[in-house]
Amino acid sequence: MELRIRPASQADLSAIHALLALAALPCDDLATSHIEFLVAATGQQIVGVVGVQVMPPAGLLRSLAVAPNVRGTGLGKRLIYALEQHAALRGVTQLTLLTETAAPFFSHLGYAVIERGHVADAIAATSEFRSLCPASATCMHKHFVLD
Ligand SMILES: CC(C)(COP(=O)(O)OP(=O)(O)OC[C@H]1O[C@@H](n2cnc3c(N)ncnc32)[C@H](O)[C@@H]1OP(=O)(O)O)[C@@H](O)C(=O)NCCC(=O)NCCS
């Protein structure tokens, strides 16, 4: 069945929560932080998710997870490209993220490591930065423009 990446709807939230929990990613603030999600769906099944908190020109990229059975097929990369386009259309020119496990993946996609103290104030104030991600997480960012 064809795989489609699209903005998430309210009906997708429990599937998003399940994917993030399975990947051991933070779920505590899903209802309270304003996160725009994209999902990858085959029919009714959600097999990938990525989110962004938009604070133009900054954006916090977060909540990237691909279902274990479809990892290694290019879906993570497709989700990031779609998220970058979505964020750019919302006025974001720099995406920042924290990761404990996927720094090589993001490096592959043009993200560079930065010191946590160098991020925009709006990013530093998010709950992911303040409390949800451990201090040991790698902080990365990427400047981009649309083609
Ligand atoms: C990280 C994750 C999203 C990658 O998704 P994926 O669909 O398996 O990745 P892709 O198939 O799109 O891989 C794209 C490229 O990155 C490489 N890659 C994938 N995971 C990688 C990793 N952990 N380290 C280094 N490179 C990686 C692939 O080899 C591929 O390279 P290519 O373009 O040369 O072929 C997935 O492993 C996952 O859901 N992990 C658990 C949750 C997580 O860690 N999320 C990130 C939190 S910020």
Side-chain angles (χ1 to χ4, degrees):
M1 191 174 290
E2 192 195 348
L3 190 142
R4 185 171 156 241
I5 295 176
R6 58 163 174 78
S9 70
Q10 198 69 20
D12 298 319
L13 286 181
S14 62
I16 290 172
H17 194 289
L19 261 186
L20 296 180
L22 189 64
L25 295 178
C27 295
D28 288 355
D29 67 330
L30 296 189
T32 51
S33 295
H34 186 70
I35 310 167
E36 297 174 22
F37 287 111
L38 300 181
V39 291
T42 52
Q44 296 298 311
Q45 198 187 359
I46 304 297
V47 293
V49 62
V50 66
V52 62
Q53 288 177 242
V54 172
M55 296 156 274
L60 177 65
L61 189 164
R62 55 174 292 172
S63 305
L64 171 67
V66 168
N69 61 320
V70 289
R71 285 183 193 164
T73 64
L75 181 52
K77 192 158 67 173
R78 282 180 62 188
L79 280 164
I80 294 300
Y81 288 154
L83 194 279
E84 289 175 352
Q85 295 226 335
H86 173 86
L89 290 171
R90 301 274 283 105
V92 172
T93 58
Q94 180 181 327
L95 282 169
T96 302
L97 63 91
L98 288 171
T99 182
E100 287 185 82
T101 55
F105 168 83
F106 284 110
S107 172
H108 202 69
L109 297 180
Y111 287 76
V113 175
I114 54 164
E115 281 187 36
R116 207 165 158 140
H118 290 174
V119 304
D121 289 347
I123 299 286
T126 59
S127 48
E128 174 157 312
F129 261 74
R130 282 189 291 109
S131 58
L132 295 178
C133 264
S136 57
T138 304
C139 185
M140 305 181 82
H141 76 160
K142 181 179 180 180
H143 289 271
F144 57 90
V145 286
L146 272 185
D147 295 334

